[in-house]
Amino acid sequence: MADIYDFVIIGSGPSGGVLAYNLCKAGARVLMLEAGKEFTPNTFPSNEMSANASLMWSGGMDTTTDAGLLFLRGKVLGGGSIINQCLLDRFDDNALDDWRARTGVDFFSTDAMARHYDEVESHLSLHTMERCDWNRNAELYVEGFEKCGMEWAPLRRGQSDCGSGNDCIVCLGGCPRESKQSSLVTFIKKARQHGLTVETQFNVSQIIHGTNLVTVYGQQNGTARQVHGRRCIVAGGALGSTQMLLKSGFKSKLPALGNNFNCHPQFMNIALFDEIVDSHKGAFQSVKSQDARFRQQGFKLENVFAGPIAVSLLKPGFGIDHQRFMQKYRNMACIEVAVRDATAGTIDIDKTGRLKIKKTMADADWQRANAGLQVVETLFNTLGAREVMKSPIKIGLHLMGGCTLGKDGQHSVVNERFQVHDHPNLFIADSSIFPSAPGINPALSIMALAHKASEHILAECGVSSSTQVQKESPVVEVQL
Ligand SMILES: Cc1cc2nc3c(=O)[nH]c(=O)nc-3n(C[C@H](O)[C@H](O)[C@H](O)COP(=O)(O)OP(=O)(O)OC[C@H]3O[C@@H](n4cnc5c(N)ncnc54)[C@H](O)[C@@H]3O)c2cc1C
């Protein structure tokens, strides 16, 4: 005998949180499954090393098969929103027009998406970074941009009250002040008030789609578990959702599954200055490039920094040279180049179900990256840097695609109602549905699309988002 939920949502990041809230608010009985643990402000890891180990898949060391790209992704209740910077931008015409052209789907336009952005933003505390938020790294960035005649703009973050402390280095390891607007402190919290059930440390291995029922299999703390929903929504992120569908054998029916993987390869470039910069004090990120030429060339620049462990990994070599470099931690400034990648990769699994990710940077991508790296070098030289280290490592933080949205079952995985082609009870509405790389921070758009998806999903059940789900009975018990 087992409970059947109205919806089982797998994953708890920006997508899972919004879906859970909207479905619970409409009166549905919802179960959220998450492979990671739940942390509270008091239990978030207190240092960089344990944050990587306890909040990320593979301890933050997922790579492509040739180890050319390193991927970071959250494995924790709240998903990527627990470990990200929560920079929240809407997509522009350039990104959405590209998606509409690729998919033929009309709602990819700034006008059609505006209502969904408005709705999710109304639940978030948003702060446009002000001059008083800048640390010296941001000041140098702006100084360089102005000297070189390039346009910059303030970043917008999801944060409520970061206080006056200058220890924001912990943002990337969970926010102990509950200021950063992760899905845990926003949508999941509200969904719980509407009855959401959450099960953590539940690693989903298989999804079986049936006419009236979807069964989800997995392991929870070493114990085999199965749960049931009338409908299931997969929100495990680009790698997670694609891996779950591949492990469940959907590839034979969905030939495009695993294709079209993008990741905005990022290069963190460090300059050493004679002065103390203290990039680790105050907000890590507060300004970005706003130069139309850069958008056209396919890259953007943001001021950024990282903890000492991450920075030490960027420096090639070891021994005395490496030690001398790290001793200059307080003299480092950093600018990141993020590339709008043009060459999609693929996500596959091996016989044991482990991820096999293939993605290389082709000439077009290197052209974009090199254009950005050249601008960074010019900026640092203009500012009088003693030494500039261009990042030898490419990092993928924005992972997208694998279950692309589109109209055609040969070239896409979900339709414009966010339903997996020919699987009416299975939906996906996370970063895995992205048709291409937008070149813009993705999290807000993931939430806006999840909001749109929740309306379609409720409509499939005959419910408009303003009315309540008519439950057949509060809990349906079935013999399985
Ligand atoms: C360091 C860093 C900084 C970033 N900064 C920004 C930023 O400032 N702005 C921005 O827009 N984006 C940023 N991003 C990217 C952003 O966080 C992601 O794009 C976003 O979190 C993706 O949302 P999602 O809901 O699709 O998936 P995720 O947030 O990845 O959530 C998926 C969840 O599903 C769970 N899951 C996966 N597989 C399974 C399984 N088999 N069983 C059970 N659960 C599973 C995962 O554990 C995870 O919690 C950053 C990312 C990183 C790593």
Side-chain angles (χ1 to χ4, degrees), residues 98-99 127 333 354 452:
D98 174 52
W99 283 13
H127 175 68
R354 285 169 67 108
K452 179 157 191 60

Side-chain angles (χ1 to χ4, degrees), residues 176-327:
R177 293 178 181 158
E178 294 195 310
S179 172
K180 190 173 69 166
Q181 300 289 282
S182 69
S183 65
L184 182 62
V185 301
T186 56
F187 290 99
I188 292 177
K189 187 175 179 184
K190 289 185 177 183
R192 279 174 154 164
Q193 286 158 6
H194 287 277
L196 173 70
T197 304
V198 177
E199 296 218 24
T200 55
Q201 294 178 266
F202 191 123
N203 194 339
V204 171
S205 51
Q206 208 179 2
I207 301 163
I208 305 291
H209 182 271
T211 319
N212 301 312
L213 196 68
V214 179
T215 301
V216 177
Y217 295 89
Q219 288 277 328
Q220 192 176 34
N221 294 319
T223 306
R225 290 280 317 273
Q226 54 173 292
V227 297
H228 313 279
R230 292 193 180 87
R231 292 176 176 84
C232 174
I233 309 168
V234 186
L239 298 185
S241 293
T242 308
Q243 183 181 31
M244 281 185 261
L245 263 62
L246 287 167
K247 283 170 81 170
S248 306
F250 284 85
K251 179 77 179 172
S252 56
K253 294 168 217 144
L254 300 164
L257 181 61
N259 296 349
N260 213 20
F261 171 61
N262 289 288
C263 74
H264 292 161
Q266 301 187 13
F267 299 76
M268 281 179 67
N269 307 289
I270 290 177
L272 298 182
F273 284 85
D274 288 337
E275 65 168 299
I276 297 289
V277 182
D278 275 348
S279 296
H280 61 291
K281 294 193 173 171
F284 265 14
Q285 295 198 262
S286 35
V287 278
K288 63 177 175 181
S289 56
Q290 184 80 332
D291 206 294
R293 289 167 298 176
F294 298 173
R295 179 85 177 121
Q296 207 169 16
Q297 285 178 70
F299 69 87
K300 65 171 180 162
L301 308 180
E302 284 173 4
N303 83 308
V304 72
F305 204 56
I309 293 177
V311 169
S312 73
L313 286 172
L314 293 175
K315 171 77 178 161
F318 51 88
I320 198 76
D321 272 354
H322 196 275
Q323 196 181 26
R324 275 203 203 107
F325 178 78
M326 287 309 294
Q327 277 167 345

